[in-house]
């Protein structure tokens, strides 16, 4: 990296080595000095921006740390069932949908519960699973996957779904920036969270 002192050393050397019959014109000298000043300014601006970005990331991490233990709504079809608790989420449909059904599968892919939602108007709708199987028994704690099927304009379609998840910890650094580590589900970028409970 060339500092200002290095530039003046090079400039002095250039003046010493120039052809006396073809001296460097004043406008050339000014252009060189201007180019160096601009390059130095850009370098300084870049360093300040890097520091600003680092400060922003630290501030985000501090704010995100207050979310530990809370639930967030994230765009995923998976959720972690805690013992004695339920699971909630949100369905979205671009237009009126009929015969909306939520299928819940365990980690082996077996369907353990089907929730009949019925008809649904355009927009979003919250739902909750109480954590009980079809026979009424408590489902074991662990990860479950959810899918939503409905009749939309006479066609069978899968509707978008988002799930609530509990934040266990917060990580920073790397290309992903601030990451929320969700219980049983791994990490998700803070920017992907759509709602905080």
């Amino acid at each position: 990296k060339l500092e200002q002192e290095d530039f003046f050393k090079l400039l002095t050397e250039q003046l010493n080595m120039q052809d006396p019959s073809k001296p460097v014109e004043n406008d050339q000298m000014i252009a060189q000095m201007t180019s160096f000043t601009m390059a130095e300014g850009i370098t300084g601006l870049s360093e300040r921006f890097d520091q600003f970005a680092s400060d922003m990331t630290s501030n985000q991490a501090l704010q995100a740390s207050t979310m530990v233990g809370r639930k967030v709504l994230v765009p995923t079809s998976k959720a972690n069932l805690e013992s004695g608790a339920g699971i909630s989420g949100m369905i979205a449909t671009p237009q009126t949908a009929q015969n909306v059904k939520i299928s819940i599968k365990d980690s082996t892919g077996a369907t353990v519960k089907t929730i009949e939602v019925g008809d649904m108007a355009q927009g979003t709708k919250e739902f909750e699973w109480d954590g009980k199987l079809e026979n009424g028994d408590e489902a074991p704690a662990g990860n479950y996957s959810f899918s939503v099927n409905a009749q939309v304009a006479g066609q069978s379609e899968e509707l978008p779904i988002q799930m609530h998840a509990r934040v266990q910890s917060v990580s920073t650094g790397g290309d992903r920036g601030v990451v929320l580590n969700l219980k049983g589900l791994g990490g998700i970028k803070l920017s992907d969270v759509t709602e905080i409970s």
Side-chain angles (χ1 to χ4, degrees):
K1 175 181 169 182
L2 289 176
E3 302 290 347
Q4 192 167 15
E5 184 180 343
D6 298 319
F7 170 74
F8 285 118
K9 284 181 182 177
L10 288 170
L11 186 59
T12 302
E13 193 65 27
Q14 180 183 4
L15 291 172
N16 288 335
M17 300 297 290
Q18 70 179 341
D19 185 346
S21 64
K22 296 179 182 177
V24 176
E25 297 291 339
N26 286 341
D27 57 346
Q28 289 180 296
M29 296 281 286
I30 292 171
Q32 288 179 2
M33 293 181 73
T34 302
S35 296
F36 176 79
T37 303
M38 286 179 63
E40 188 176 38
I42 291 170
T43 300
L45 183 62
S46 176
E47 290 173 352
R48 286 192 291 274
F49 183 77
D50 288 344
Q51 182 60 47
F52 173 73
S54 176
D55 291 344
M56 284 293 290
T57 300
S58 298
N59 187 47
Q60 278 187 327
L62 184 60
Q63 290 179 331
S65 67
T66 64
M67 296 165 61
V68 174
R70 300 175 70 178
K71 284 190 175 182
V72 293
L73 187 66
V74 292
T76 180
S77 61
K78 298 185 182 301
N80 181 264
L81 178 67
E82 299 178 52
S83 182
I87 291 177
S88 59
M90 185 176 290
I91 310 165
T93 179
Q95 54 185 296
T96 301
Q98 289 82 35
N99 197 26
V100 180
K101 293 181 181 179
I102 303 171
S103 296
I104 305 169
K105 296 182 179 180
D106 62 17
S107 57
T108 68
T111 300
V112 297
K113 179 78 173 181
T114 300
I115 300 174
E116 301 280 350
V117 178
D119 294 344
M120 181 178 158
Q122 176 185 358
T124 60
K125 183 179 181 69
E126 293 188 10
F127 72 90
E128 186 167 359
W129 175 43
D130 59 8
K132 293 185 178 179
L133 304 172
E134 294 287 10
N135 62 8
D137 292 343
E138 293 283 343
N143 288 350
Y144 291 82
S145 61
F146 294 69
S147 61
V148 183
N149 183 268
Q151 292 291 318
V152 180
Q155 301 286 329
S156 177
E157 288 189 17
E158 293 289 319
L159 298 182
I161 189 170
Q162 297 187 75
M163 303 301 301
H164 282 112
R166 190 175 301 282
V167 179
Q168 280 194 307
S169 63
V170 176
S171 302
T172 60
D175 297 336
R176 301 179 70 190
V178 177
V179 174
L180 304 180
N181 300 306
L182 308 178
K183 184 172 183 180
L185 302 178
I188 188 168
K189 291 190 296 184
L190 176 61
S191 57
D192 289 337
V193 172
T194 56
E195 183 181 287
I196 302 169
S197 298

